[in-house]
Amino acid sequence: MSKTHKIAILAGDGIGPEVVQEGLRVLAAASDQFDFSYELTDYPYGTDHWLATGGENGGEIFPDEAFAEAQQHDALLLGAIGDPRAPVGLIERGVIGKLRWEGGLYINLRPIKLSAERWCPLKDKTPADVDMVIIRENTEDAYVFPPEFTDKGGPNETASQPMKYTRMGTERVIRYAFEVAMTRPRKQLTLIDKANAVRAQDIYTRVFDEVSKEYPEVKTDHAYIDAACMWMVKNPEWFDTAVTTNLFGDIITDLGAMVQGGMGVAASGNINPGHFSLFEPIHGSMPKATGKNTANPVATVNAVAMMLEHLGENEAAAAIESAVERLLQSDRVKGLKAGVHSTSEWGDMVLAELNAAVNA
Ligand code: IPM
Ligand code: MG
């Protein structure tokens, strides 16, 4: 029986609305082709809304009532958040941060897959070399605890924000990573940390070791984050599945995005398995490009595919993924960078590919 999915849309700042618009065209086409329907609820939050409702004088960031309501949906598709007209981090933390941390979206799933050799900035690396999934912890670490300043601005100033981990937070992300590794042909899982310098990350070392005993089929290894960055560039083929902390995951997945062809194509899921989850491109809001119809929406289209998979629409998800893959392998695509193809032209090209598959 056809299901109706309740999807919240938070297009956000900058290029967010433009890329989300193309993502929604692809979602509509997928629902025509496959047996599901959906209802959308739009949320206006982001910097414009904050400014329009008072900005520094009590502007709305993400009111608790709307936040609770959004979480009643099956999933949320987010465009981008961040704008230089607001204080650094205020809206990002208040919207994306709130959803991740208070919403319990404890997995940040970031697939890194190269579709064609010509999109890889690394010499002689092919799609066979770049095919991995990075699982980033999403609710702890230096992100979530308030910063502390003493003697602010003074000569003895100190500033701190703890890298703090709980057993529950560590164990659930590591366990999820083992589950993902089990679904992949190579069944290899790398723990990425900096436990030699940040001794608090010993908790990752121990919990990884404990959980690994339950998954004897998974081959495990380990890399410090600095070395992992080096390997990502030098030998990306070494990675299959990797699990890491929130901050390191943030950093290494931007590097991974470049290796797979750039921010234009990299998508992510902020997941609470089996529950309300959020899907988004990993790029930012590109304020200068706002409204210009130059942003590449493929990352958002890929996020829509991840969202459909989460909703159990595996066929639709796979159809979108392979349409994008075929498109990126074709010579119709002249480049992935902003402006080579317009945002709407990208949408047209993905739709054409999706429809061609049905009519084939
Ligand atoms: C990301 C972004 C966010 C993060 C920002 C916007 C706070 O860079 O999703 O990777 O650091 O997590
Ligand atoms: Mg980031």
Side-chain angles (χ1 to χ4, degrees):
M1 207 188 75
S2 158
K3 274 198 203 148
T4 301
H5 302 292
K6 286 170 64 193
I7 300 172
I9 302 294
L10 205 160
D13 293 332
I15 58 169
E18 297 159 56
V19 294
V20 163
Q21 191 182 328
E22 299 311 312
L24 291 180
R25 286 175 69 200
V26 175
L27 177 66
S31 117
D32 287 342
Q33 286 184 16
F34 298 91
D35 189 26
F36 72 91
S37 52
Y38 59 89
E39 286 161 10
L40 302 180
T41 316
D42 246 309
Y43 289 92
Y45 305 108
T47 306
D48 283 334
H49 183 82
W50 177 73
L51 288 171
T53 53
E56 301 275 11
N57 305 310
E60 271 182 5
I61 300 178
F62 198 169
D64 286 334
E65 207 173 294
F67 173 64
E69 185 198 283
Q71 287 175 297
Q72 297 307 308
H73 293 72
D74 300 312
L76 184 150
L77 180 68
L78 186 139
I81 297 287
D83 186 306
R85 292 172 299 165
V88 173
L90 180 73
I91 314 294
E92 293 91 321
R93 294 179 65 84
V95 178
I96 307 182
K98 190 179 174 97
L99 282 157
R100 289 179 182 170
W101 311 328
E102 292 175 36
L105 309 181
Y106 64 90
I107 302 296
N108 197 322
L109 186 70
R110 298 190 161 187
I112 295 170
K113 196 168 188 289
L114 178 66
S115 52
E117 184 169 348
R118 66 183 167 132
W119 306 130
C120 188
L122 307 177
K123 204 160 154 275
D124 299 331
K125 296 297 175 190
T126 70
D129 298 311
V130 180
D131 182 1
M132 65 187 99
V133 179
I134 300 198
I135 292 136
R136 162 186 174 188
E137 201 289 321
N138 214 27
T139 54
E140 305 198 322
D141 204 3
Y143 273 80
V144 295
F145 303 97
E148 240 179 69
F149 298 91
T150 63
D151 190 31
K152 199 165 186 175
N156 298 315
E157 178 164 2
T158 68
S160 65
Q161 192 158 350
M163 289 178 115
K164 194 166 172 177
Y165 312 100
T166 65
R167 168 150 302 246
M168 184 193 72
T170 305
E171 189 171 328
R172 65 188 180 182
V173 71
I174 287 177
R175 195 171 290 284
Y176 184 88
F178 273 98
E179 292 290 335
V180 172
M182 285 293 287
T183 67
R184 296 181 53 88
R186 283 167 64 192
K187 294 192 172 43
Q188 184 200 314
L189 177 63
T190 306
L191 170 64
I192 299 175
D193 62 37
K194 190 67 192 176
N196 53 347
V198 181
R199 287 303 294 133
Q201 292 187 357
D202 180 56
I203 190 171
Y204 268 80
T205 313
R206 282 182 283 112
V207 173
F208 187 81
D209 193 48
E210 279 169 34
V211 176
S212 73
K213 298 197 167 67
E214 297 169 36
Y215 297 88
E217 287 162 74
V218 175
K219 274 188 283 152
T220 57
D221 65 9
H222 170 260
Y224 294 124
I225 180 67
D226 48 347
C229 289
M230 176 193 71
W231 293 123
M232 179 75 82
V233 171
K234 192 166 178 288
N235 294 99
E237 66 276 11
W238 286 15
F239 293 100
D240 175 32
T241 319
V243 60
T244 190
T245 56
N246 200 346
L247 183 59
F248 296 161
D250 176 47
I251 297 166
I252 200 165
T253 54
D254 266 27
L255 180 56
M258 295 319 288
V259 171
Q260 83 184 115
M263 290 306 215
V265 297
S268 67
N270 296 257
I271 296 172
N272 178 3
H275 299 277
F276 167 79
S277 296
L278 181 169
F279 298 83
E280 57 174 337
I282 89 166
H283 63 64
S285 57
M286 259 170 80
K288 288 196 188 107
T290 305
K292 297 213 164 93
N293 194 28
T294 53
N296 181 340
V298 167
T300 305
V301 171
N302 283 333
V304 166
M306 291 180 78
M307 176 173 81
L308 285 172
E309 197 180 329
H310 175 80
L311 296 173
E313 302 297 346
N314 295 342
E315 261 185 286
I320 295 173
E321 263 165 36
S322 60
V324 168
E325 188 166 45
R326 281 195 310 279
L327 176 65
L328 297 186
Q329 286 165 350
S330 77
D331 55 15
R332 291 193 293 294
V333 175
K334 306 300 175 207
L336 303 180
K337 292 205 177 87
V340 179
H341 295 283
S342 72
T343 311
S344 46
E345 189 186 351
W346 272 115
D348 295 342
M349 291 194 292
V350 174
L351 288 179
E353 199 61 54
L354 198 60
N355 293 329
V358 166
N359 301 327

